[in-house]
Amino acid sequence: MGKQASYTIRGIGSLLWFVFGLSGIINILALTGAFYMMQVYDRALTSGSVPTLLWLSAIAIGLYLFQGLFDIIRSQILVRFAANIDAKIAPLVHKVVIEMPRFGYAPAEAVERGRDVDTVRGFLSGAGPVALFDLPWIPVYLIFVWLLHPVLGMLTLGGAIFLSCLTLAAELLSRRHARDLARTSVHRNVVADNHLRNGDVLYSMGMTERALDRFEQANVRHIDAQTATSDISGTFAGISKVLRMMLQSAILGVGAYLTIKGDMSAGSIIASSIITGKALAPVDQAIAQWKGVMAARRSWSRIKDTLGVLNRPDTRFDLPAPSETLTVENITTVAPTSGTVLLTDVSFQLKAGQALALIGPSGGGKTTLVRSILGIWPALRGAIRVDGADLKQWPTEFFTSNIGYLPQDVSLMDGTIAENISRFDDDANARKIFRAAKTAGIHDLIVRMPSGYQTDIGVAGQVLSAGQRQRVALARALYDDPFLVVLDEPNSNLDAEGEQALGEAILKVRERGGIVILVAHRPSILQYVDMVGVVQGGRLVSFGPKDDVVKTPANVSTPPRYPMPQSMPQPMSIAAE
């Protein structure tokens, strides 16, 4: 992926050089009108020859057609170039965007990185690149006007320099406002995203008006920054337009004076006015498009930074499927957003067929520990090893086929039940889907639905109840018999039947030689595990066989909240124990 990103960026140069050359042809052909007027006034009119006029007109029409054809080709190249950039880069950027929230970035900021691709595509397929590609060819027009008369050339050159200074001034004055615009845009999107995700709470607790006030404040700051940026761009565009018209009139006046003095022909007056307008038009267009230029440049810079993450050397290797151990070696984990230490020097080892329940007070670090084990929050120090190999050494396929995860906040994707269980695998095996659903104890419930496994669950699984969503997510975690199954409060929304199915699923994973780690708040789930770890204050204060840990409250500073039931059902026989 990283190499592909670098190749994509480097491959842009050759096409841009081609478009630059094509722009040169177009700008040279743009001299057609000036040459035509000079020949009509100085040759056809003075000679009174109609055939000469017809031939001049035919040649001019042919050149105009070529100019139009090349202009169309340039436009279509830029549109397709923009689409090609989007097609190649958007998936790479999206790959990084998906991972940004786990490194402390707000979801809205991650989405903004994804929109950078749209900004660049919109700019490349618009009028901005045309103005930029025409700018370097201004000397062609200046030379032409200079050949008509040096005075006109100096006047045109002075106007071009002055307008170029306006462009530079627009860049310098709008740079700070552009940064403010980007910052306020992200903040406004963060506020909107928070309100969207908490709509039910806002309505039910009468917080809607307060939420609107917060959004209004963020929106006003964004509008102010946008207005300041637009004011600068609009002001300089207006000044540029007026100066260009004044300069063209000055060229006509000076040209008329030189013609009266006998230093120029009548046709040269018209030609110089036309070419002066052509020479200054790219500067005028660049100033008008400067807001888009800055937005595209800012977005492209962020895209390169985003793709830079993919250029890191890949140390992963195709290792054999795991089957033996999970080892946590002295890991320390910090919060991505604040850098606060959440876990300190946690170590333990699990063998195939074992199940570990993590217990302890809320906020003690249990969820942080399982997220660290899965690599969602990279450990600051220490290592997570599977069969002795660091987690970073395992290929992507390791995560897709050997890890199952049921997060605390269950989230399903828009699609069918079968698609969600199979993790949207294009080559999903129906038998594996059925086996995962049966292991999670939800097969009978699914087949009773009108569309069965093809039931569309809607956005975030709205069609299903909270308990049904949790059981479908459990089936997703169990799909394809992963070696490591991590369950964060898997029974929080389950009834007695669902909890019984969960327990049986844990036992089946253990039977086939898998490892289960679960965060437990209900003591009833402990009957299905053989190992218990007590996490408190960011440390693993106790770890060992279930009976030893639960019956030894002296290991923790507060009494355990997990009294074992008097009658403990014996787990099924496990060959690996």
Side-chain angles (χ1 to χ4, degrees), residues 508-540:
K508 288 178 181 178
V509 173
R510 297 179 61 190
E511 274 192 319
R512 60 174 173 77
I515 293 177
V516 180
I517 298 177
L518 61 92
V519 175
H521 274 180
R522 294 184 185 177
S524 57
I525 200 66
L526 296 183
Q527 61 185 298
Y528 303 104
V529 305
D530 61 331
M531 305 292 289
V532 171
V534 180
V535 182
Q536 181 175 312
R539 293 181 178 274
L540 186 64

Side-chain angles (χ1 to χ4, degrees), residues 74-83 118-130:
R74 179 174 65 174
S75 175
Q76 292 184 352
I77 287 176
L78 288 174
V79 169
R80 284 159 177 76
F81 170 63
D118 296 332
T119 301
V120 172
R121 187 192 66 243
F123 172 76
L124 290 176
S125 58
V130 174

Side-chain angles (χ1 to χ4, degrees), residues 3 7 21 98 116 122 144 160 163 183 203 209 221 304 306 343 348 353 385 568:
K3 293 181 179 178
Y7 176 79
I98 290 174
D116 285 337
F144 182 85
L163 289 179
R183 178 178 52 80
Y203 174 78
E209 291 301 322
R221 286 192 290 270
K304 289 196 295 183
T306 303
L343 284 177
F348 64 86
R385 300 186 183 277
M568 175 72 69

Side-chain angles (χ1 to χ4, degrees), residues 302-338:
R302 285 202 300 253
I303 286 174
K304 289 196 295 183
D305 291 342
T306 303
L307 295 181
V309 177
L310 301 177
N311 290 328
R312 296 173 180 171
D314 194 349
T315 59
R316 296 175 298 183
F317 189 74
D318 290 333
L319 297 169
S323 60
E324 298 177 0
T325 60
L326 168 71
T327 306
V328 178
E329 295 182 349
N330 299 315
I331 65 168
T332 295
T333 304
V334 299
T337 52
S338 62

Side-chain angles (χ1 to χ4, degrees), residues 447-519:
V447 296
R448 285 197 297 267
M449 296 181 179
S451 300
Y453 281 87
Q454 294 304 314
T455 300
D456 196 323
I457 64 174
V459 179
Q462 293 176 346
V463 173
L464 306 177
S465 68
Q468 290 172 339
R469 287 196 297 270
Q470 194 160 36
R471 294 175 72 175
V472 169
L474 175 61
R476 180 180 63 185
L478 298 173
Y479 178 75
D480 204 15
D481 297 331
F483 172 68
L484 174 62
V485 178
V486 179
L487 311 173
D488 193 351
E489 296 190 33
N491 56 346
S492 57
N493 294 312
L494 298 182
D495 54 16
E497 180 184 354
E499 189 161 340
Q500 178 66 28
L502 170 64
E504 293 176 357
I506 294 173
L507 294 177
K508 288 178 181 178
V509 173
R510 297 179 61 190
E511 274 192 319
R512 60 174 173 77
I515 293 177
V516 180
I517 298 177
L518 61 92
V519 175

Side-chain angles (χ1 to χ4, degrees), residues 110-335:
V111 172
E112 193 70 21
R113 290 293 182 104
R115 289 174 182 163
D116 285 337
V117 180
D118 296 332
T119 301
V120 172
R121 187 192 66 243
F123 172 76
L124 290 176
S125 58
V130 174
L132 295 180
F133 280 120
D134 286 344
L135 276 174
W137 298 102
I138 290 178
V140 173
Y141 301 113
L142 295 177
I143 292 172
F144 182 85
V145 176
W146 195 284
L147 292 175
L148 293 177
H149 199 283
V151 174
L152 297 181
M154 293 178 62
L155 188 60
T156 304
L157 177 61
I161 293 175
F162 186 77
L163 289 179
S164 299
C165 291
L166 285 181
T167 305
L168 180 60
E171 154 73 9
L172 296 176
L173 291 176
S174 59
R175 184 176 296 175
R176 180 176 61 83
H177 295 294
R179 289 196 298 265
D180 292 341
L181 179 62
R183 178 178 52 80
T184 56
S185 176
V186 170
H187 178 65
R188 185 185 64 168
N189 292 337
V190 168
V191 173
D193 181 66
N194 286 334
H195 293 170
L196 179 63
R197 289 187 289 106
N198 295 281
D200 293 345
V201 175
L202 297 179
Y203 174 78
S204 61
M205 301 184 69
M207 298 168 59
T208 302
E209 291 301 322
R210 298 175 187 174
L212 289 176
D213 290 339
R214 292 183 69 240
F215 177 78
E216 184 178 6
Q217 294 172 8
N219 192 49
V220 166
R221 286 192 290 270
H222 174 68
I223 292 175
D224 289 343
Q226 189 176 51
T227 300
T229 305
S230 299
D231 283 346
I232 293 174
S233 176
T235 299
F236 280 94
I239 295 174
S240 171
K241 184 177 180 180
V242 170
L243 289 177
R244 184 165 61 87
M245 291 188 296
M246 291 175 61
L247 185 59
Q248 283 186 272
S249 298
I251 291 292
L252 281 174
V254 174
Y257 173 78
L258 294 172
T259 301
I260 293 173
K261 291 294 185 179
D263 294 335
M264 285 180 59
S265 64
S268 298
I269 301 176
I270 306 300
S272 61
S273 178
I274 294 174
I275 295 303
T276 300
K278 291 287 186 180
L280 301 181
V283 181
D284 195 24
Q285 292 174 4
I287 293 175
Q289 297 290 330
W290 202 249
K291 182 180 177 182
V293 171
M294 293 190 64
R297 186 179 62 185
R298 185 173 59 251
S299 295
W300 183 245
S301 177
R302 285 202 300 253
I303 286 174
K304 289 196 295 183
D305 291 342
T306 303
L307 295 181
V309 177
L310 301 177
N311 290 328
R312 296 173 180 171
D314 194 349
T315 59
R316 296 175 298 183
F317 189 74
D318 290 333
L319 297 169
S323 60
E324 298 177 0
T325 60
L326 168 71
T327 306
V328 178
E329 295 182 349
N330 299 315
I331 65 168
T332 295
T333 304
V334 299

Side-chain angles (χ1 to χ4, degrees), residues 559-571:
R561 298 167 48 211
Y562 303 88
M564 298 300 296
Q566 296 297 323
S567 177
M568 175 72 69
Q570 293 298 318

